[in-house]
Amino acid sequence: MEREPGPGGARRALGRLVEAVLASRGEANAVFDILAVLQSEDQEEVQEAVRACSRLFGALLARGELFVGQLPSEEMVMAGSQGATRKYKVWMRHRYHSCCNSLGELLAHPSFQVKELALSTLMKFVQLEGEHPLEKPKWEGNYLFPRQLFKLVVEGLLSSEEDRSLLLSQFREYLEHDDIRYHTMQAAADTVARVTDGRPEVHLIFWNNAFTLLSSVSLPRQEGDLSSFYVKHVELSDKWKVVHLKEHRKAFQLMWLGFLKHQLPLRICKKVLVIIHDAILPYLAQPSLMIDFLTRAYDIGGAISLLALNGLFILIHKHNLEYPDFYRKLYGLLDPSVFHVKYRARFFHLADLFLSSSHLPAYLVAAFAKRLARLALTAPPEALLMVLPFICNLLRRHPACRVLMHRPRGPELDADPYDPGEEDPAQSRALESSLWELQALQRHYHPEVSKAASVINQALSVPEVSIAPLLELTAFEIFEQDLKKGPESVPLEFIPAQGLLGRQDDLCAQHFTLS
Amino acid sequence: MGKARSAGARGKAPGAPAGARGGRTRPNPNPFEVKVNRQKFQILGRKTRHDVGLPGVSRARALQKRTQTLLKEYKERDKSNVFKDKRFGEYSSDISPEEKMLKRFALEQQRQHEKKSIYNLNEDEELTHYGQSLADIEKHNDIVDSDSDSEDRGALSAELTAAHFGGGDGLLYKKTSQQQGEEGEKPKSRKELIEELIAKSKQEKRERQAQREDALELTEKLDQDWKEIQALLAHKTPKPEGRGGKEKPQPDAYDMMVRELGFEMKAQPSNRMKTKEELAEEAQARLRRLEAERLRRMLGKDEDERTKNPKHVSADDLSDGFILDKDDRRVLSYKDGKMNVEEELGGEASASESAEEEEEGSGEEGDPEESDGPDGHSDLESDVGSEDGGERAEEDACLVPGDIAIADDGGAREAARTELPYTLAGMVSLFHGFPPGTGVSLIARRQQFCRPRVLLRSPESYEELKSLLSGKSVEEQLLVVERIQKCSHPSLAVGNKAKLEVRSKLFGFLLEYIGDLATEDPPGLGIIDKLVVHLYNLCQMFPDSASDSMKFVLRDAMHEMEATVESTGRAAFPGLDVLIYLKIVGMLFPTSDFRHPVVTPALLCMSQLLTKCPVLSLRDVLKGLFVCCVFLDYVSLSQRFIPELVNFLLGILYTATPKKQSQGYTLVHPFRALGRNSELLVVSDKEDMATWQRRRLSLHWAAGPKAQTKTEANHTRLSCLAVCLALVERCVRVYGALPSFHDIVRPLRALLTEHLADSSRPRELQELGQSALTEMESHARLCRPLVCEKSKPVPLKLFTPRLVRVLEFGRKQGSSKEEQERKRLIHKHKREFRGAVREIRRDNQFLARMQLSEITERDAERKRKVKQLFNSLATQEGEWKALKRKKFKK
């Protein structure tokens, strides 16, 4: 093929070649020229070649000029003595295959435009091939889908080398179609199984890509007719698996379970846990199968345990899951970092739910209250404003725990009987203790915290304080509130200032100099 | 009159029907006729209307009424005759009664004339006068009414004599003509007379009313005029002169003069100069009072007071929210206290200012702006006299001779003018008392700043201030600021709001300038150190604007931090300017208050610094420790608990621990147990440890990156550690009294023991750690079980009468007004309906009775007639038979 300079020239040349191939079977060898350009270095040329391939094979597929059925090997057919048409068709089908393969390779092309174009071309082939299947239907109304081709696409998307999140977001629009979604789930499950098979260490990038693809699959909530198909069919048969939401759910579950059974990196784990309660659990055919993953995550500790709590809660609450030592583990989750993590609001919302039962034993509630009070000694004011009403609510719900704040004629002790190191709330002797921590927090520097802690000085009022508005409180909001309110007049310091570091006995003056 | 009568009539009116109704007022009713409705219960306030009745009487009355009305109707039921009033013009109102009468008379005459006297020629019509025939009058004409003229008894009237004794015709003629004249005037009827009377009285009334209105108008006008005048006289005449002022004679010039002199402001006796002891005592008392107030604010008492208003609760209180009257027993009202404080502060500011003036010298003595006292013009003289002390006295002394000389001249005005020592001689003489050279130097200094002084009004923008201050040495800058500050004293702009506003902005500008200085490299800490004093003074002058600009600065810093935290999840320690702002807040405002509009946000800001900013470098450690120091200084008086501070110190100690066991403590955000910065403060170089000497940390290091040698860095590390240990010790001492003290310091103790295990540390550090540990141990562990405060027992509910407004007895209560009205109307309708039905029934009964009696009457009549007929027939028969018998006999 003689090259003309410039991208326009390439396009014209390719166009001519495509015209020639389509016009007469004698020119079929020009296909090689087109396919050769796909390997070109020049990005523009590659794009042109992809477009040319798309046009060429799209037309061929539509015309039915590709061999249908089990593809015999090329040499055999060429050597054999079948008719020229059959030979041509088999030969062309082989070219089509190589074209698809090189398009699949192009999904890893450095340029995003090429990737995008390759993806859309491949999806176009999927559509056309679905309409004009390249295999013979085994029986009347057999559902045929170009699974091989589609698997190629999905494998191209789930790369282990680079982050394909942009391409995946492009792919997301195909997931609107029910059949594509169904086959994506199957293909993704296969790919994940294949990639992780036998390999102990899988790259983080693959997990990231896989998570992005998996999380973008969202099933319809309602059992409706699944009819928005990417591949157009004349009529839908009730026997096909694709049209049943139940099958979709099964595929969805298989996909996620296959994904989650692996040792995921912590970051991916966190991401999964964040969406699990509203994007995964409701769509599973058997949500209780998630218990393995959730318990594993719950045992990891730290923020991941906090996040796993949400999924566990749904399983316990909606699917009757029996979780041994749940409260003990919850108790173990409470450590000083609880007040500083990002998921504080979610955690305390759930903790409030778990502890809202009035059938909990008093020792347990007392242990929780005491633990939280202990932790409050290290908490910032925004967390204190939330946790102090929380503790008071616990005491309100369980009158048996009121001894924590009111123990008349109790013996004077020389140490707090509560054991903070004990993991079992039953053994922590919290009921013998008192909430001295809250008494200490009455001396907190922030007036609101001090007030909130002073509640225990009086008998508690009957109605509970809703902590919902306090969950999301930030220090900045408190700061703004403080700036807004306050007495109308501004009291002033009456000891005159002497210098920047203050008087001689001030700490600043003792430890710092200006020089 | 009319009113009184009508009122009387009205007063009588209710009595009258009562008498008619009850019959009780009758002299003595027949006791057998009285029917008493016995009441089961006596109910207070209920009016009984039907306790006593006279059934017989009322029945008789009803019967009578029916016979008068119903019976009449019944009897006339078939009659169609109608009474017609055919009198002339009876119902037309457009003819006057006189005319009507005339017309009627004419008609009557005509009728008579037409009918009877056509043929009666003799019959003359009868003449009448006042409806009496003249013929009759003539009969009595002669009778003399002797009683009527009792007045002139004995003296016969001319008329009489003329009538009786003839006399001249002229008189008689005159009389008749007079009579005729009277008759021409038309005599007035009684009705007319009454009408006239009424009209007259009405007119009189109207006149009186008009008069009264006029009087009122006049008084109002007078009042207004008086008010206008009074405004002018207010300061001179304390007593209003009353209404009669207008009529007072115009005072002459002399009187006016006397008055004016009398009311002129008298020279007020100045206070005695206070002795030193007295002054000291006063100052102490003031400090004591301020301290007491500070304590009160620290405990946050007034906040509680504000929330619960009725603080005094009587023993008889039912806690039903009912308060007898307002309790005005206030022990120490916040507002008053505040006002006192402000007064005091003003005085103090002036005192300090005057002190500075003394220091600076009396160069500006003559400047009227300068010598103006802060307390307004009223006590200007005494103020200056007492405060400026010696110099002023001296000045007076030197002025005395000149004064006298001019006074001898007799020009009092000129004497007043020379009060101001504007002359050079005066200036020079001012410096008499000073050591030689001072005066000259002062003059020189003054000249030096002559140029800026012209410009020294308050700058209106930050740029202006900056341009004033830029490029000057430290002393010059200070002096300029001082001058500006003095020129912008609020008392100089009293009443001039715009000016005051401009001046109050100065604080903000100065603060901004300080921030700029702090961010410079190297930071101008020296100037800031001096400027802080001015900032303090300005804050005392303009507390509101100071707090506003401080809040603004803090909000700025927080915004910045919040933005970075939002985007990256963490924030870096801010620049030195924020730290200095925080420190300044602590100096300007009382940090021990329970709630303070500026200090509380500042505390939160520091808490954020300690929790959100990870410690990444030695500089961050330094900044963090500075914030800790400021934080602890804030709570040094109130001894409040700061969890973040303990956490931060724990983290710093952790970064200084070389071999970690991590037992018994957990690190909190922003510190991490593992990571790049977990050994930031660890010093391993033995030599550096040996050469280290404890020094105070320099704020310069916190400002910018400074190339430090390794040894220097190590020394800084050790110093930081020392500061950290000292702060730990301080915390332990401050929080020792907290109930769960041991739980608070447990992690610190664990780390400290780890530290002490490492014996390679400098001795000083070990001692510090040891002292902190022993301090911790020394606090007793005492855990007294918590007991709630006894809440006030809820008093028994007593049966207080429930007061409900009574609208109508027997009616249902407790509904809305419209509903009640509706019910009332329905009830009334029902009652009326029943009454009407009963009346109709009784009417029917009455009619039936009447018909029956008619029928029986008719029957009886018929019977009687039949009987009569039979009778007559019988007699006829008898007669006939007798005749027959006679015939037979015959």
Side-chain angles (χ1 to χ4, degrees), chain A residues 340 374 378 381 406-407 413-414 436 443 445 448 457-458 475 491 493 500 509-511 513-515, chain B residues 529 536 540 595-596 607-608 638-639 641 644 647 668 696-700 743 781 783-784 786 788-789:
Chain A
H340 298 272
R374 227 357 115 70
T378 62
H406 181 63
R407 194 194 302 276
L413 311 160
D414 35 333
W436 289 291
R443 303 289 309 275
Y445 66 91
E448 295 296 327
N457 284 350
Q458 267 95 29
E493 177 68 53
L500 182 57
Q510 279 174 23
H511 300 305
T513 69
L514 294 177
S515 56
Chain B
D529 191 33
Y536 176 82
Q540 300 287 351
R595 186 196 288 284
H596 190 281
S607 140
Q608 286 296 293
S638 52
Q639 308 217 321
F641 175 47
E644 296 90 329
N647 290 344
V668 202
R696 291 190 286 175
L697 297 168
S698 167
L699 269 183
H700 277 288
D743 299 321
R781 295 162 179 258
C783 301
R784 194 167 294 133
L786 290 183
C788 292
E789 278 171 23

Side-chain angles (χ1 to χ4, degrees), chain B residues 570-619:
Chain B
R570 55 169 65 177
F573 266 101
L576 193 58
D577 50 342
V578 176
L579 305 186
I580 283 177
Y581 285 146
L582 289 171
K583 177 71 196 147
I584 287 176
V585 168
M587 282 187 288
L588 300 185
F589 302 104
T591 50
S592 60
D593 286 12
F594 183 68
R595 186 196 288 284
H596 190 281
V598 184
V599 176
T600 310
L603 282 168
L604 259 180
C605 189
M606 284 192 280
S607 140
Q608 286 296 293
L609 289 183
L610 292 186
T611 50
K612 291 275 157 67
C613 305
V615 176
L616 302 174
S617 64
L618 202 52
R619 196 140 53 90

